Amino acid sequence: EKEIRNFFDMLICFPKTINFFDWETGNLHNPYEELTKAFADVSRGAFTPTEIIDQFEKDWNKKTTPYGFRFKGKTYSEQLNMNGDWLDSRFFELIEEALADNGVDGKFYLCVNDGYIFLTQNQYEYLKETQPELFP
């Protein structure tokens, strides 16, 4: 109780509500798979990818790496750019594209401390109005 000073403090008490990650990954084996699954968890069942392809591997000579997943019967895939241990933001754009293509009611929004939260449009509008400090 004493540690909850604002709405954000309350949100982080609930597991799988916000996905925090750094674009410079420490996971050099399967960061895109790990993050795709984390976004699925945060979506509370709205985003359910399967057959995730992640061949990320820190290789200074490699220019691209395949990434993809299946969602609602459709395959989404992309050759992501390699930049050492930095992630390519196109992986997240592909997730957003899959949600939009399938008419999912909700999307991921950037919130405080570089976290992403999944909200419906109504939830986002309400929180943006009542808790604007959550969103940059």
Side-chain angles (χ1 to χ4, degrees):
E1 243 177 61
K2 293 178 182 178
E3 299 202 13
I4 297 178
R5 297 173 304 277
N6 55 42
F7 194 74
F8 176 73
D9 289 344
M10 185 178 68
L11 276 177
I12 62 172
C13 291
F14 295 93
K16 299 180 182 177
T17 300
I18 299 176
N19 181 21
F20 297 99
F21 72 96
D22 189 342
W23 289 97
E24 184 177 19
T25 186
N27 176 354
L28 301 178
H29 178 65
N30 63 346
Y32 293 118
E33 179 182 9
E34 178 183 282
L35 287 169
T36 301
K37 288 178 179 179
F39 279 112
D41 287 344
V42 168
S43 79
R44 299 173 309 282
F47 176 57
T48 53
T50 60
E51 301 175 36
I52 300 168
I53 298 167
D54 178 1
Q55 295 181 10
F56 182 94
E57 166 179 331
K58 186 177 174 186
D59 181 346
W60 300 113
N61 297 316
K62 207 170 170 186
K63 300 276 186 223
T64 63
T65 187
Y67 165 70
F69 54 86
R70 288 188 59 76
F71 179 59
K72 298 210 182 248
K74 183 176 176 187
T75 299
Y76 293 86
S77 62
E78 186 73 43
Q79 285 292 323
L80 301 178
N81 292 322
M82 293 295 295
N83 186 15
D85 58 354
W86 287 89
L87 299 174
D88 183 341
S89 64
R90 180 69 183 123
F91 97 91
F92 181 69
E93 293 166 9
L94 199 60
I95 292 171
E96 290 180 314
E97 179 182 316
L99 293 172
D101 280 356
N102 290 283
V104 172
D105 182 20
K107 61 185 260 185
F108 295 98
Y109 293 91
L110 181 63
C111 62
V112 293
N113 298 337
D114 295 326
Y116 285 83
I117 188 169
F118 185 85
L119 301 168
T120 66
Q121 183 65 34
N122 286 342
Q123 289 169 329
Y124 173 73
E125 289 172 6
Y126 175 79
L127 287 175
K128 184 80 172 163
E129 183 179 320
T130 63
Q131 304 294 326
E133 68 279 0
L134 287 176
F135 306 100

